[in-house]
Amino acid sequence: MNKTVTDAQEAIRDIHDGAILMLGGFGLCGIPENCIAALVTKGVKRLTCISNNAGVDDFGIGLMLQHKQVKKMISSYVGENAEFERQLLSGELEVELIPQGTLATRCMAAGYGMPAIFTPAGVGTEVATGKETRTFNGKDYLLEYAFDADFAIIKAWKGDTDGNLVYKETARNFNPLMAMAGKVTIAEVEELVPAGQLDPNNIHTPGIYVHRIFRGKNYQKRIEQRTIRKVNQSK
Amino acid sequence: MNKTVTDAQEAIRDIHDGAILMLGGFGLCGIPENCIAALVTKGVKRLTCISNNAGVDDFGIGLMLQHKQVKKMISSYVGENAEFERQLLSGELEVELIPQGTLATRCMAAGYGMPAIFTPAGVGTEVATGKETRTFNGKDYLLEYAFDADFAIIKAWKGDTDGNLVYKETARNFNPLMAMAGKVTIAEVEELVPAGQLDPNNIHTPGIYVHRIFRGKNYQKRIEQRTIRKVNQSK
Amino acid sequence: MPLTKEQIAQRIARELRDGYYVNLGIGIPTLVANYIPEGINVVLQSENGLLGMGPFPIEGEEDPDLINAGKQTITTVPGSAFFDSAMSFGMIRAGKVDLTVLGAMEVSENGDIANWKIPGKMVKGMGGAMDLVASAKNIIVAMMHTNPKGESKLLPRCVLPLTGVKCVRKIVSDLAVLDVTPQGFKLLERAPGVSVEEIKMKTAGKLVIEGEILEMKF
Amino acid sequence: MPLTKEQIAQRIARELRDGYYVNLGIGIPTLVANYIPEGINVVLQSENGLLGMGPFPIEGEEDPDLINAGKQTITTVPGSAFFDSAMSFGMIRAGKVDLTVLGAMEVSENGDIANWKIPGKMVKGMGGAMDLVASAKNIIVAMMHTNPKGESKLLPRCVLPLTGVKCVRKIVSDLAVLDVTPQGFKLLERAPGVSVEEIKMKTAGKLVIEGEILEMKF
């Protein structure tokens, strides 16, 4: 069940104007750098992007914003991103801000064939506006629907030719959830190995969820908040 | 955050008559053998057991049935178990049979703080009797509630003193789901190591879900259907 | 001659397509794995938490931690992955499994299936069958055309408690291959030496016969 | 003297109990990790997918794949575990996290909190805050008692869009420690040298004062 494609360009070949995309990563950690670059080069437009964050001005999804490829962002935190703010305030960009756990669980729901889930996040806030509320055991929950995305574009640490994936540390974040949720799932990995070389006990995303996989190149892996302690400081 | 206890007896010390238990395993694969033996010795009664199967006549939960400790079984498949059938037909044992995926997902829902989930399993069948049905995108789903168990009793392959767990092969099955779902979760493991010795990328159940852990002894690991092929047979 | 169980499995195996993820139920469906056509790559899912199920082990290599949903000892193939039961049924519900093959006690002409309970007689439980039939995109039933008493198992309506409704797409019995269509059971092929007349006689549900019905070849 | 940010963190750290799983928000809450009392073992959860967060790395050991929810480079302690965001918020929703410490722009006397949006001015998003406040068993807010204009941030009702309702249990500000009770903000302790009078003046919401209010000691 070989799922390999040569590169990002081939992997995203059929992503069309107006597509709904999920993009993995938390901040700039674990983002599909190669696919984002290829989407910018391809110049595909009017995208809806479901992603926890919108990158920074000159990296990650920020690059797609710079090139005005994004019609709508569905995110939980859009942080420090001047171009994002400019497009938002000018009305060029539509933005739906949703709680991070809701974002994660709506991805999981799609991957698990659950049409909707209940979460207490946002009850009593403007997030609840227009949503169905339901009480279970005296606590209120919002009904939130599974996402319906055309493509999930994710980044893993290691992958095999069958599409099995392993993530590294906190670069896992939304990647395995979105991997399960896309109608077509595209995975870029730092290391691509033949099927059989990953420990089947430690696969984070089984290959059944992955349609295309390739080894990415020239990862920058930028750090947003480089924070260090002095060597003699205990904490 | 040391969660270790000395043995099964100490681990189950406060399991009381009438308690609702979850017990991990699929058939006899990955069942908490030590805890089951301790429950039999302790003689605790009127238990409700949520477990995919009910063991065989003389092993697994079958032992607890033999000693008439079980008031109610919630399972998906109760297979070949003469004593089970006898108690069921005589009315001694209450049984709720539910679809396997529903069982799994109701455990997960408890562990993920979701009060209920939607599944299409059982729509149009007697499983749907008395349950709320809801249509999403033209397909019918049943509303199924998260389980509410006093204790989850599970078996892992390796564990560390902080309660982090790793399962082996298909002995994983319901164990990680039940681990998340118990008010008190008791894990028995084949190998217990100091915190820090398991790869944090490959933890199946994070220690936050586990309250007590101990190294089990004398595992029998019985095989229900020993099936082999001849050496020169390809399949 | 009615098909043997092996031939039913062999016929079903011809429905496999390259790249399929397939869930095979207990009994005849398990045998389908022995007849996967040359050049066709499929991955077998076992709902107890495995993708990439391999053949049964050779003697001495049985691993009690490695079983299929029928609780048989098995092996894995390269590229396999283990996961928990929630993810397993998650991928089933999400339609990631391309084909499900399972047995049945009864199938109705509108595609209902009954295979988990005989009231007052048998109460083993539905296991994962209700989840599978509620979600699979493509369901093929492998079964005998009649029960041991000679009564048809292809009915206008199921008598036994249902496992799922309007879900079966195709039936491969010992006598015939049939599609479940809005018009009823559509006869596609017959077992070598079995007449259309015999199939008619042994099918209680509505049977649609159009044109010549060819014999299966093995 | 009002407390410094470090002192607020230090005071909050005294609320930690042995065995707690704790989620620390961005800003002052992050500093709480520096003051965990001797003999108290806590495990820090970072909602981007980590249990067992350790201190910041030393120079040269920053790992871009290892960050906290504030996107800062971090390290892990022995016994740590990584997981995806669904499990992370799953354990939060299921009440497995014993204590959440986060910042606020406003808190109301009934425990409502606002900390994610200033209409027309700031739209960064709620991140995980709404999930945390909707589910945490015990929420402590770390904040300045007043905003830069000197206006109270402890209000009868929040003016800004809410993050969560009736969820805050305790506030540690630069001036005081207060519990949120059915009667309103109950003053428990005051910063060294800060008078009850000043706290009264700077608390717009209902303030409950019973008996002598002791100074915090550092």
Side-chain angles (χ1 to χ4, degrees):
Chain A
M1 205 69 80
N2 194 317
K3 313 246 175 120
T4 53
V5 295
T6 54
D7 57 15
Q9 200 188 330
E10 194 194 337
I12 64 147
R13 62 189 183 264
D14 51 355
I15 297 187
H16 46 82
D17 288 355
I20 302 176
L21 310 184
M22 288 178 163
L23 294 122
F26 182 94
L28 300 179
C29 181
I31 61 172
E33 297 186 14
N34 279 248
C35 283
I36 291 172
L39 285 166
V40 170
T41 303
K42 187 176 157 91
V44 60
K45 301 271 189 221
R46 298 194 311 281
L47 300 170
T48 294
C49 293
I50 302 166
S51 183
N52 190 57
N53 312 90
V56 295
D57 275 333
D58 64 344
F59 204 58
I61 295 176
L63 293 171
M64 292 162 68
L65 292 167
Q66 239 181 45
H67 290 81
K68 305 197 172 133
Q69 298 177 273
V70 182
K71 186 185 74 176
K72 180 175 181 178
M73 282 295 317
I74 301 176
S75 302
S76 90
Y77 190 85
V78 289
E80 324 288 342
N81 189 321
E83 176 61 15
F84 183 95
E85 216 162 354
R86 196 197 60 70
Q87 291 189 23
L88 174 59
L89 295 171
S90 74
E92 287 166 62
L93 184 66
E94 206 180 321
V95 177
E96 191 180 333
L97 291 171
I98 62 176
Q100 198 171 124
T102 303
L103 182 67
T105 315
R106 289 175 66 187
C107 292
M108 188 184 74
Y112 275 20
M114 303 192 295
I117 55 100
F118 293 102
T119 175
V123 166
T125 76
E126 63 180 59
V127 164
T129 311
K131 287 179 185 159
E132 181 177 330
T133 303
R134 183 158 173 162
T135 308
F136 294 93
N137 304 315
K139 189 175 168 85
D140 291 339
Y141 295 82
L142 301 181
L143 182 76
E144 298 274 7
Y145 294 95
F147 281 124
D148 189 13
D150 299 316
F151 294 89
I153 302 172
I154 59 134
K155 155 75 168 41
W157 179 28
K158 297 178 187 174
D160 72 19
T161 49
D162 277 8
N164 292 300
L165 302 177
V166 174
Y167 308 91
K168 189 171 166 229
E169 301 165 345
T170 55
R172 191 181 314 187
N173 55 66
F174 290 85
N175 282 302
L177 306 168
M178 292 179 170
M180 298 193 298
K183 283 198 207 54
V184 174
T185 292
I186 298 165
E188 56 175 89
V189 298
E190 292 180 57
E191 222 176 290
L192 183 62
V193 301
Q197 300 219 347
L198 299 176
D199 178 354
N201 279 309
N202 295 328
I203 303 294
H204 298 142
T205 298
I208 192 172
Y209 285 115
V210 176
H211 301 87
R212 301 169 195 165
I213 187 169
F214 68 95
R215 192 173 71 76
K217 276 176 262 177
N218 307 321
Y219 281 103
Q220 293 190 34
K221 291 199 181 186
R222 288 205 206 165
I223 292 174
E224 270 180 274
Q225 306 283 344
R226 187 178 303 272
T227 314
I228 55 170
R229 71 178 201 278
K230 300 232 174 68
V231 180
N232 59 354
Q233 203 179 327
S234 74
K235 300 258 169 93
Chain B
M1 206 67 80
N2 194 319
K3 314 245 174 123
T4 53
V5 295
T6 54
D7 56 15
Q9 200 189 330
E10 193 195 336
I12 64 146
R13 61 188 182 265
D14 51 355
I15 297 186
H16 46 83
D17 287 356
I20 302 175
L21 310 184
M22 286 178 165
L23 294 122
F26 182 94
L28 300 179
C29 181
I31 61 171
E33 296 186 14
N34 280 247
C35 283
I36 291 172
L39 285 166
V40 170
T41 304
K42 187 177 158 90
V44 60
K45 301 268 189 225
R46 300 194 311 281
L47 300 170
T48 294
C49 293
I50 302 166
S51 184
N52 190 57
N53 312 90
V56 295
D57 275 333
D58 64 344
F59 204 57
I61 295 176
L63 293 171
M64 293 161 67
L65 291 168
Q66 238 180 44
H67 291 81
K68 304 197 173 136
Q69 298 178 273
V70 182
K71 185 185 73 174
K72 181 176 180 178
M73 281 297 315
I74 302 177
S75 302
S76 89
Y77 190 85
V78 289
E80 325 286 344
N81 190 319
E83 177 60 17
F84 183 95
E85 216 161 352
R86 195 196 61 70
Q87 290 189 24
L88 174 58
L89 295 172
S90 74
E92 287 166 62
L93 184 64
E94 205 180 322
V95 177
E96 192 180 333
L97 291 171
I98 63 176
Q100 199 171 121
T102 302
L103 181 68
T105 314
R106 289 175 66 187
C107 292
M108 188 184 74
Y112 276 18
M114 304 192 294
I117 53 100
F118 293 102
T119 176
V123 166
T125 76
E126 63 181 57
V127 164
T129 310
K131 287 180 186 159
E132 181 177 330
T133 304
R134 183 158 173 162
T135 308
F136 295 92
N137 304 315
K139 190 174 166 87
D140 291 339
Y141 295 81
L142 301 182
L143 182 77
E144 298 275 7
Y145 294 95
F147 281 123
D148 189 15
D150 299 316
F151 295 88
I153 302 171
I154 59 134
K155 154 77 168 39
W157 180 27
K158 296 177 188 175
D160 72 18
T161 49
D162 277 7
N164 293 301
L165 302 176
V166 173
Y167 307 91
K168 188 170 167 231
E169 302 165 344
T170 56
R172 191 182 314 188
N173 55 66
F174 290 85
N175 282 302
L177 306 168
M178 292 180 170
M180 298 192 297
K183 283 198 208 48
V184 174
T185 292
I186 298 166
E188 56 176 88
V189 298
E190 291 180 57
E191 222 177 288
L192 183 61
V193 301
Q197 301 218 346
L198 298 176
D199 178 354
N201 278 310
N202 295 329
I203 303 295
H204 297 142
T205 297
I208 192 171
Y209 285 115
V210 176
H211 301 87
R212 301 169 195 167
I213 186 169
F214 68 95
R215 191 173 72 76
K217 276 176 261 181
N218 307 323
Y219 282 103
Q220 293 190 34
K221 291 199 182 188
R222 288 204 205 165
I223 292 174
E224 269 182 274
Q225 304 284 342
R226 188 178 302 272
T227 315
I228 54 170
R229 72 181 200 281
K230 300 231 175 69
V231 181
N232 60 355
Q233 203 177 328
S234 75
K235 300 258 168 94
Chain C
M1 281 267 294
L3 303 188
T4 61
K5 289 181 178 184
E6 283 71 19
Q7 285 176 314
I8 294 177
Q10 202 175 342
R11 177 60 192 81
I12 289 173
R14 294 180 194 156
E15 301 295 319
L16 300 174
R17 297 292 169 266
D18 195 41
Y20 265 15
Y21 288 91
V22 180
N23 183 292
L24 301 175
I26 301 173
I28 301 175
T30 300
L31 302 174
V32 172
N34 298 338
Y35 299 100
I36 298 168
E38 202 70 36
I40 296 283
N41 246 302
V42 302
V43 176
L44 301 180
Q45 199 247 21
S46 192
E47 68 265 27
N48 54 321
L50 167 62
L51 275 164
M53 182 164 65
F56 297 127
I58 56 171
E59 188 155 13
E61 297 197 347
E62 312 92 321
D63 176 350
D65 291 320
L66 182 50
I67 63 171
N68 66 15
K71 283 129 195 165
Q72 296 170 307
T73 43
I74 47 152
T75 60
T76 58
V77 298
S80 63
F82 297 105
F83 36 84
D84 65 47
S85 301
M87 179 179 268
S88 186
F89 285 96
M91 64 183 67
I92 288 166
R93 270 198 307 269
K96 304 290 174 184
V97 174
D98 299 290
L99 174 66
T100 289
V101 183
L102 77 176
M105 301 194 284
E106 296 175 351
V107 175
S108 75
E109 62 192 35
N110 70 345
D112 294 354
I113 176 172
N115 72 352
W116 76 282
K117 188 179 185 182
I118 305 174
K121 237 180 117 181
M122 193 274 289
V123 281
K124 292 189 193 305
M126 66 290 282
M130 280 194 181
D131 306 273
L132 281 159
V133 301
S135 295
K137 287 183 281 195
N138 190 3
I139 298 173
I140 300 180
V141 163
M143 66 177 193
M144 296 295 121
H145 213 92
T146 56
N147 66 21
K149 290 191 222 159
E151 298 161 342
S152 179
K153 295 167 69 173
L154 285 74
L155 305 173
R157 299 195 59 163
C158 292
V159 177
L160 295 172
L162 295 183
T163 306
V165 294
K166 294 181 196 162
C167 53
V168 177
R169 293 278 199 89
K170 194 183 279 288
I171 298 167
V172 178
S173 77
D174 54 335
L175 302 186
V177 179
L178 312 99
D179 269 357
V180 177
T181 72
Q183 288 72 43
F185 299 114
K186 180 167 182 190
L187 184 59
L188 300 178
E189 300 170 23
R190 56 198 169 88
V194 170
S195 69
V196 169
E197 214 42 47
E198 180 179 351
I199 295 166
K200 258 189 190 167
M201 221 172 56
K202 292 183 172 168
T203 304
K206 193 168 171 201
L207 189 67
V208 178
I209 303 166
E210 280 172 10
E212 193 188 355
I213 307 301
L214 297 178
E215 277 187 3
M216 291 176 245
K217 289 205 172 65
F218 290 92
Chain D
M1 281 269 292
L3 304 187
T4 61
K5 289 181 177 183
E6 284 71 21
Q7 285 175 315
I8 294 175
Q10 202 176 341
R11 176 60 191 83
I12 289 172
R14 294 181 195 156
E15 301 294 320
L16 300 173
R17 297 291 168 266
D18 195 42
Y20 265 16
Y21 288 91
V22 181
N23 182 293
L24 300 176
I26 300 173
I28 301 175
T30 301
L31 302 174
V32 172
N34 299 337
Y35 300 100
I36 298 168
E38 202 70 36
I40 296 284
N41 245 302
V42 302
V43 176
L44 301 180
Q45 199 246 21
S46 192
E47 68 265 28
N48 54 322
L50 168 62
L51 274 165
M53 183 164 65
F56 297 127
I58 56 170
E59 188 156 12
E61 297 197 345
E62 311 93 321
D63 176 350
D65 291 321
L66 183 49
I67 63 171
N68 65 15
K71 282 128 195 166
Q72 296 170 309
T73 44
I74 47 153
T75 60
T76 58
V77 298
S80 62
F82 297 105
F83 36 83
D84 65 47
S85 301
M87 179 180 267
S88 185
F89 285 95
M91 63 183 67
I92 288 166
R93 269 197 307 270
K96 303 290 175 185
V97 174
D98 299 290
L99 174 65
T100 289
V101 183
L102 77 176
M105 302 194 284
E106 297 175 351
V107 175
S108 75
E109 62 192 35
N110 70 344
D112 294 354
I113 177 172
N115 73 350
W116 75 283
K117 188 180 185 181
I118 305 174
K121 238 180 115 181
M122 194 273 288
V123 280
K124 292 191 193 304
M126 65 291 281
M130 281 194 182
D131 305 274
L132 281 159
V133 302
S135 296
K137 287 183 280 194
N138 190 4
I139 298 174
I140 300 181
V141 163
M143 66 177 192
M144 297 295 120
H145 214 91
T146 57
N147 67 21
K149 291 191 223 160
E151 298 161 342
S152 179
K153 296 168 69 174
L154 286 72
L155 304 174
R157 298 195 60 163
C158 292
V159 177
L160 295 172
L162 294 183
T163 306
V165 294
K166 294 182 196 162
C167 52
V168 176
R169 293 278 199 89
K170 193 184 279 288
I171 299 167
V172 179
S173 77
D174 53 336
L175 302 186
V177 178
L178 311 99
D179 270 356
V180 177
T181 71
Q183 288 72 46
F185 299 113
K186 181 165 183 192
L187 185 59
L188 299 178
E189 299 170 23
R190 56 197 170 90
V194 170
S195 68
V196 169
E197 213 42 48
E198 180 179 352
I199 295 166
K200 257 189 193 167
M201 221 174 54
K202 293 183 170 167
T203 305
K206 194 169 170 198
L207 188 68
V208 179
I209 302 167
E210 280 172 12
E212 193 188 354
I213 307 301
L214 297 177
E215 276 187 2
M216 291 175 244
K217 289 204 173 63
F218 289 93

